[in-house]
């Protein structure tokens, strides 16, 4: 009887160990890491699990779920990123608090569209005039880890253009209505096959605004294309033309805000102050993959901006242009 009891105990012990290893193995299998997301806009492309920086990715699907008017609700979903909106043309973005000292704009944060800088030479960054219809994704690097993009203490916001799937051909028109006289009309078309892709979009955004002297009108034309030259070489080109005229209600006192919040500042209302500009950004890029770990990206681009802003105390006129060449070989 004692011998049978010992054999029975050993059998139960072995069965327990076996079942425990099966459960542990099953649990380990169910908790394997998530699928990798590749960071596309860094000089050295890597997965988000292996890059030594705090990175957040916004997909095209998440962008399409927004109202299609402005980036504010999209960026405010990202931890550490805060976009304040005074009007459609007056916004401020901060990353982990950096940039909070700038009152009516965004500074100390770099922004790029397909590798082309959107920040001015003075460090000011304007994203609100980029049409959401042309975005295929956003990558945000938080903090000063983004030294490869220049001196951006707060971080970097990289915008990617919409990419068409192979065999895609479509035309689209849509109209969006919103509060305070908001109307947005878009016309877009795209074509893509195994060798080339082309996307063109026109949009017209208008709004009367909640306050006096706050009318807004923006027209933009966007063109993107890619052509595969060889199995390892790709030629890409893009153009973004923007025409903006936005009136400025400016700041009011606390008393006016509590009693007449729709009013504009008396001086700006009397002068009918506004900002307007014509902006053009064009570029061409060439990418060649020499091997699995070595490639070359060449970009030639140009920016042009012609701005006019009548204000109660003076008139600001600004014209600037830039031609730049970038070569990356990660």
């Amino acid at each position: 009887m004692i011998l049978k009891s010992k054999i029975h105990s050993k059998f139960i012990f072995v069965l327990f160990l076996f079942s425990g290893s099966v459960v542990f193995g099953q649990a380990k299998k169910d908790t394997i890491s998530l699928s990798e997301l590749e960071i596309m806009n860094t000089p050295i492309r890597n997965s988000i699990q292996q890059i030594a920086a705090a990175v957040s990715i916004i997909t095209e699907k998440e962008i399409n779920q927004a109202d299609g008017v402005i980036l504010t609700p999209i960026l405010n979903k990202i931890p550490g990123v805060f976009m304040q909106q005074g009007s459609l043309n007056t916004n401020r973005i901060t990353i982990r608090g950096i940039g909070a000292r700038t009152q009516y704009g965004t500074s100390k944060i770099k922004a790029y569209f397909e590798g082309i800088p959107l920040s001015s030479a003075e460090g000011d960054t304007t994203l609100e005039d980029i049409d959401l219809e042309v975005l295929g994704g956003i990558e945000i690097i938080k903090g000063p880890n983004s030294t490869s993009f220049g001196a951006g203490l707060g971080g970097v916001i990289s915008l990617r253009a919409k990419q068409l799937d192979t065999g895609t051909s479509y035309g689209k028109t849509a109209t969006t209505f919103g509060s305070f006289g908001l109307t947005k009309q878009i016309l877009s078309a795209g074509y893509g096959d195994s060798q080339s892709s082309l996307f063109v979009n026109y949009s017209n955004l208008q709004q009367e605004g909640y306050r006096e002297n706050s009318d807004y009108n923006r027209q933009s034309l966007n063109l993107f294309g890619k052509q595969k030259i060889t199995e390892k070489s790709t030629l890409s080109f893009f153009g973004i033309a923007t025409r903006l005229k936005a009136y400025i209600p400016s700041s009011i006192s606390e008393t006016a805000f509590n009693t007449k919040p729709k009013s504009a500042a008396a001086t700006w209302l009397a002068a009918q102050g506004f900002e307007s500009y014509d902006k053009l950004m064009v570029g061409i890029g060439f990418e060649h993959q020499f091997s699995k770990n070595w490639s070359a990206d060449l970009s030639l681009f140009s920016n042009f901006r012609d701005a006019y802003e009548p204000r109660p105390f003076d008139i600001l006129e600004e014209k600037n242009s830039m031609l730049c060449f970038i070569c990356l070989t990660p």
Side-chain angles (χ1 to χ4, degrees):
M1 294 293 293
I2 296 176
L3 181 61
K4 288 184 178 180
S5 177
K6 288 182 178 180
I7 294 174
H8 182 68
S9 300
K10 290 181 179 179
F11 177 75
I12 293 176
F13 180 71
V14 172
L15 182 62
F16 174 76
L17 290 178
F18 177 76
S19 58
S21 63
V22 171
V23 172
F24 177 78
Q26 182 66 31
K28 185 177 180 181
K29 184 177 180 181
D30 291 341
T31 55
I32 288 177
S33 61
L34 299 174
S35 57
E36 291 188 348
L37 293 174
E38 185 178 3
I39 308 299
M40 302 294 295
N41 292 330
T42 55
I44 300 177
R45 295 178 181 176
N46 209 337
S47 65
I48 193 172
Q49 291 91 339
Q50 298 177 357
I51 192 168
V55 182
S56 295
I57 298 177
I58 302 174
T59 63
E60 183 177 352
K61 181 180 179 181
E62 293 173 306
I63 296 174
N64 294 335
Q65 290 172 346
D67 56 13
V69 177
I70 197 168
L71 277 170
T72 305
I74 300 173
L75 294 183
N76 284 341
K77 294 180 181 179
I78 304 301
V81 181
F82 184 34
M83 183 173 181
Q84 294 174 293
Q85 179 181 340
S87 60
L88 290 179
N89 61 307
T90 305
N91 301 274
R92 180 176 68 181
I93 302 174
T94 62
I95 297 180
R96 295 178 172 178
I98 301 298
R101 292 187 177 183
T102 305
Q103 292 183 332
Y104 303 110
T106 300
S107 65
K108 299 182 177 63
I109 296 173
K110 295 290 185 179
Y112 292 82
F113 184 87
E114 287 290 320
I116 308 304
L118 299 177
S119 304
S120 67
E122 293 80 15
D124 298 325
T125 298
T126 302
L127 295 181
E128 51 265 21
D129 58 359
I130 299 294
D131 194 353
L132 301 189
E133 296 292 330
V134 306
L135 295 182
I138 304 173
E139 295 176 5
I140 302 174
I141 304 177
K142 307 170 193 174
N145 294 330
S146 52
T147 53
S148 56
F149 293 93
L153 184 62
V156 170
I157 300 176
S158 296
L159 310 178
R160 296 201 310 270
K162 185 186 292 289
Q163 302 294 327
L164 298 180
D165 297 329
T166 301
T168 301
S169 179
Y170 77 96
K172 175 183 175 181
T173 179
T175 302
T176 302
F177 297 99
S179 55
F180 311 114
L182 184 143
T183 304
K184 181 181 181 183
Q185 298 174 314
I186 64 168
L187 293 170
S188 62
Y191 169 81
D193 57 28
S194 59
Q195 297 295 323
S196 60
S197 65
L198 180 65
F199 172 76
V200 60
N201 176 79
Y202 168 80
S203 71
N204 186 356
L205 177 61
Q206 302 180 32
Q207 188 180 37
E208 296 177 2
Y210 173 74
R211 300 172 61 191
E212 298 173 327
N213 203 60
S214 61
D215 290 0
Y216 181 92
N217 190 318
R218 187 194 74 204
Q219 300 180 65
S220 63
L221 179 64
N222 307 271
L223 175 68
F224 307 100
K226 282 190 175 183
Q227 178 65 46
K228 198 170 184 180
I229 302 176
T230 65
E231 194 67 27
K232 297 183 178 181
S233 301
T234 304
L235 184 69
S236 60
F237 57 90
F238 73 91
I240 301 177
T242 304
R243 169 166 289 181
L244 172 74
K245 185 174 183 180
Y247 286 84
I248 303 173
S250 193
S251 304
I252 55 177
S253 64
E254 183 180 359
T255 302
F257 178 77
N258 292 327
T259 58
K260 196 178 178 182
K262 291 185 178 182
S263 64
T267 53
W268 285 84
L269 180 61
Q272 295 185 343
F274 64 88
E275 68 167 333
S276 66
Y277 57 77
D278 294 328
K279 185 164 65 174
L280 177 65
M281 182 168 63
V282 294
I284 185 170
F286 176 78
E287 179 182 0
H288 183 76
Q289 190 78 31
F290 294 100
S291 64
K292 183 179 180 181
N293 300 318
W294 187 34
S295 64
D297 291 339
L298 308 177
S299 298
L300 178 66
F301 62 91
S302 177
N303 287 340
F304 171 79
R305 187 174 186 269
D306 184 4
Y308 178 76
E309 184 176 339
R311 303 180 287 188
F313 40 86
D314 63 6
I315 294 178
L316 175 65
E317 292 187 74
E318 179 186 3
K319 290 185 179 181
N320 57 61
S321 58
M322 177 182 65
L323 180 64
C324 190
F325 176 76
I326 295 178
C327 177
L328 297 176
T329 56

